[in-house]
Amino acid sequence: MLGALLVPYLLAPLYRAGHPVSTLMAWRYLTGAPMSRQWVDLAAVSPSLPRSVVAAEDAKFCRHHGIDWGALREVIDDAEDGEVVRGGSTITQQVAKNLFLWPGRSVVRKALEFPLAIWVDLVLPKPRILEIYLNIAELGPTGQFGAQAGAIYAFGHGASALSPREAALLAAILPNPHLRSARNPSSGVRRLAGTYMVRAQASELQRCWSENR
């Protein structure tokens, strides 16, 4: 049991290179479910996409060390007040979960995810964490994983050619492309995309990259 728990900590530093796959991608492949992913380097992705995804998923990505404790406290406060619990996971947490753990809500999974996210942030630079996320996030309803497959499915062209609006639409369907569509966006998805386009303009990513290479 201890050996199994240590495996992700041994593997994470090795993911500075290569094209890692998520546990969900591996499961779909093993069970014969449809699955497509074409790896695309961060430098080859339209700059609008990482900015939009950070605006949508993790505004403090450049400033925290794997866990956004402020956002987590807000989630706990909302739950105690009986309000609808919002997602408080950072991009780094989602990378840790997608690479090494399992989907769904579980206290056990969260307990494993927190220290693992801190470790991932320690051993991988921020640009690499975001590059991995953009290549393992589920971005289509029929097994499309990663920015390239998601962009081709939704817009008919690759991630390098995404416009700011298209990038924001892809960001708006996270984390559930089964309920939201960038290909045929609802008014709600279009509204979210508009918000993320505005937020993306104030992106800190360029400074983040220079500090974390």
Side-chain angles (χ1 to χ4, degrees), residues 60-163:
K60 296 180 181 177
F61 175 70
C62 291
R63 286 175 276 159
H64 64 62
H65 297 289
I67 309 293
D68 184 348
W69 298 107
L72 182 61
R73 281 193 294 271
E74 290 178 6
V75 169
I76 294 172
D77 289 343
D78 287 349
E80 289 177 346
D81 293 340
E83 298 178 15
V84 176
V85 177
R86 302 161 295 162
S89 294
T90 64
I91 286 173
T92 312
Q93 285 177 260
Q94 292 179 63
V95 166
K97 178 197 73 175
N98 290 344
L99 287 179
F100 303 116
L101 302 173
W102 60 92
R105 295 194 174 190
S106 162
V107 173
V108 173
R109 198 210 72 201
K110 276 293 181 185
L112 296 173
E113 178 186 300
F114 272 52
L116 188 52
I118 294 171
W119 176 245
V120 168
D121 185 84
L122 181 66
V123 300
L124 297 180
K126 294 282 188 181
R128 179 58 175 172
I129 293 171
L130 187 55
E131 181 176 66
I132 292 173
Y133 181 68
L134 292 176
N135 279 282
I136 63 175
E138 194 173 8
L139 284 169
T142 53
Q144 290 83 13
F145 289 85
Q148 186 75 353
I152 291 172
Y153 172 80
F155 310 115
H157 56 73
S160 63
L162 287 169
S163 69

